[in-house]
Amino acid sequence: MQSMSKTVFLSTVTKEFGLLRRRLAGLIRRTGQMIVRHQDDFVAQGILTLHLLEEEIRKSDAVVHVFGNRAGSFPPLDQVEAFFERNPQFEQRFPEVAESARKGEVSYTQWEAWLALFFEKKLFPYVANERLPEEEGDEEDEQYASQRVHWDRLKAVKQYPMDPKNQDIDFESAVTDEVILSLINEGWLSSELVHKPMNLPYDSLGELFKGRDGAMQQLRDSLLNQSGQAATAIVASQTIHGLGGIGKTRLAVEYAWQYREDYKALLFVIGDTPEALRRNFADLCGPLVLNLPEKDTPEEEVRYTAAIRWLQKNTGWFLILDNLDNEDSVKKAEEVLGQLGHGHAILTSRIGDWSANVEALKLDVLAEEDAVDFLLNRTDARRRKTDDDPQLAAGIAEDLGHLALALEQAGAYISKRRMTFDQYRTTWNENREKAIEWFDERVMKYPESVATTWQTTFDQLSEPAQDLLKTLAWFSPEPIPESILESYPIEDCDAYDLLAELESWSIVA
């Protein structure tokens, strides 16, 4: 797999351009060529926010800085003074910025641009080409005034904020197009991969993907040599089955990332019910996936037929059918695959009994060595280390049944709280009794260790984040459009900030 050598930090005020930031991050990440970081990826825990931003941008290669009317929140003065103590050269290079910062007049988002320049990173600044509608009297608003000063200072150091050139489309689409083009021109992104139809649900784990080399090779062999024939002429279907939390979907997605250059499209469809399978096939028509002419047609059947027709007419695609956990879904999936050709498909399921047309791969839990290695690497940057970490990690891995899902949530928890392995194990055991009160494996279809791990993490969420998670739990397991957050009824909280909190604990993806 090609290494991702460049990192870009996306700098925006969430309430103004949160959707743009997520959209841009998704487009860049899906190529697998760059690492993308932004404020949703971290929450200050045991370290002050300005210091954390300093660390993030110091290790980035570029900062995309999008700003409009809002400056966002401002760091407290003690964080500013601590920064100057660590970096006295900043004041020499940008005296006016330093003077304003000491008065509390430089916001976190503005700091991101100046940190990029201070650490000599590539800066891509964009400003809204038209002032966005704000409350009456916003000309006098301190946030707007702060942004005007910030804009003028950037221009003074010859960092000219760019207006999107294409005035025929909305600002967010125009900025997205120009940022992507800039990264392509830098040689950091491949135009082919940017425009490849793709809707994989999450990024590759990279070096954190442990213990599946044998399964990965078995998948590859099966897809390339179905019945001894070249797989390019047929649908070579492989099913991965095993208990919940074992890492079936992760293996399928990692395969897609590892061999992405071999395929013209990387497609992901959840099929927990026959109805969901049809609906999610229909959604492949959308503008960010296949972008078919039927994408705006309200009739699901028309969009479903269009997606199937595309798969029939095109070659070299890769398709994951995920979560086929009941007989009706299995039957429908095999019926659909029987209509297709010229591509590869992987199916994930808890069911191991398939027709002769589908080769089954039984996936087991991670080996102890791989589970321990994952925990040590997943938490290496942020856990509080002790001399007996390998032994403690082995104990946690055993508690969690060596299940990939539980190990990832445990790793996220330990990293987020900057705790020791021993502290996590104590907390996990304290939550076990609480989880047993509601856990029923016959209903949940996950082992008790996953439930306890989930309960341990859930208890650390803020109450508004818990409420949002409970609301999202009423939706089907297929991807949920982020646009629903715009009307989420919650007071004194930003729904996108709550979503970022859930993501930082590996509760949602």
Side-chain angles (χ1 to χ4, degrees), residues 80-100:
V80 174
E81 291 301 332
F83 171 82
F84 288 133
E85 289 179 9
R86 294 189 301 273
N87 303 280
Q89 304 90 344
F90 184 95
E91 192 164 10
Q92 299 170 16
R93 289 186 57 189
F94 307 114
E96 290 185 359
V97 178
E99 182 180 358
S100 293

Side-chain angles (χ1 to χ4, degrees), residues 150-358:
H150 178 51
W151 182 356
D152 291 339
R153 283 176 175 162
L154 282 176
K155 289 190 293 185
V157 295
K158 303 188 185 306
Q159 293 290 328
Y160 301 104
M162 295 173 283
D163 288 325
K165 297 181 179 64
N166 189 345
Q167 304 293 329
D168 297 327
I169 59 178
D170 64 271
F171 171 71
E172 292 188 358
S173 297
V175 169
T176 299
D177 290 346
E178 293 207 19
V179 170
I180 293 296
L181 180 60
S182 295
L183 296 177
I184 291 173
N185 290 338
E186 291 288 333
W188 297 347
L189 285 183
S190 159
S191 177
E192 179 184 356
L193 289 177
V194 168
H195 297 101
K196 177 179 293 189
M198 187 187 309
N199 68 330
L200 299 178
Y202 35 73
D203 303 335
S204 171
L205 284 176
E207 294 180 357
L208 282 176
F209 185 59
K210 304 286 186 181
R212 298 302 194 198
D213 291 347
M216 185 74 78
Q217 188 59 53
Q218 189 174 342
L219 268 179
R220 186 66 170 168
D221 293 343
S222 172
L223 292 173
L224 293 181
N225 298 290
Q226 186 85 351
S227 301
Q229 299 181 12
T232 53
I234 60 172
V235 175
S237 300
Q238 172 80 50
T239 182
I240 307 170
H241 62 97
L243 73 159
I246 205 168
K248 303 181 296 294
T249 302
R250 172 57 72 181
L251 175 60
V253 171
E254 290 292 338
Y255 179 93
W257 282 118
Q258 182 163 330
Y259 296 103
R260 64 187 181 277
E261 295 184 4
D262 294 350
Y263 297 101
K264 296 177 182 177
L266 303 174
L267 307 175
F268 185 89
V269 171
I270 294 178
D272 52 315
T273 66
E275 295 77 19
L277 191 70
R278 291 185 69 85
R279 182 169 61 251
N280 291 320
F281 263 113
D283 288 345
L284 294 180
C285 290
L288 296 181
V289 192
L290 298 178
N291 196 29
L292 300 180
E294 295 84 355
K295 61 181 178 294
D296 296 322
T297 304
E299 290 81 14
E300 181 181 294
E301 182 63 27
V302 174
R303 290 180 287 114
Y304 170 80
T305 301
I308 296 298
R309 185 166 56 246
W310 188 94
L311 289 164
Q312 291 171 331
K313 290 184 176 181
N314 288 273
T315 64
W317 44 261
F318 177 79
L319 172 67
I320 299 172
L321 299 183
D322 190 48
N323 204 26
L324 305 173
D325 292 335
N326 61 70
E327 295 295 340
D328 290 339
S329 294
V330 168
K331 182 178 179 181
K332 182 62 179 177
E334 293 210 53
E335 175 189 319
V336 171
L337 289 175
Q339 305 173 41
L340 308 182
H342 311 295
H344 289 171
I346 289 179
L347 299 78
T348 73
S349 176
R350 292 189 179 100
I351 297 173
D353 186 18
W354 290 78
S355 72
N357 297 322
V358 179

Side-chain angles (χ1 to χ4, degrees), residues 22 40-41 43 378 408-409 412-413 416 454 457-473 480 485 488 494-509:
R22 289 173 177 275
D40 289 0
D41 294 323
V43 177
R378 174 66 173 83
E408 165 55 29
Q409 289 195 350
Y413 187 101
K416 179 124 175 63
W454 186 90
T457 300
F458 182 81
D459 286 348
Q460 294 302 312
L461 298 174
S462 65
E463 186 174 343
Q466 290 181 356
D467 291 340
L468 175 60
L469 183 61
K470 291 174 184 176
T471 300
L472 296 177
I480 303 168
L485 297 178
Y488 183 66
D494 185 283
Y496 290 100
D497 289 341
L498 300 180
L499 182 63
E501 181 180 348
L502 297 178
E503 289 177 328
S504 70
W505 291 98
S506 287
I507 290 289
V508 299

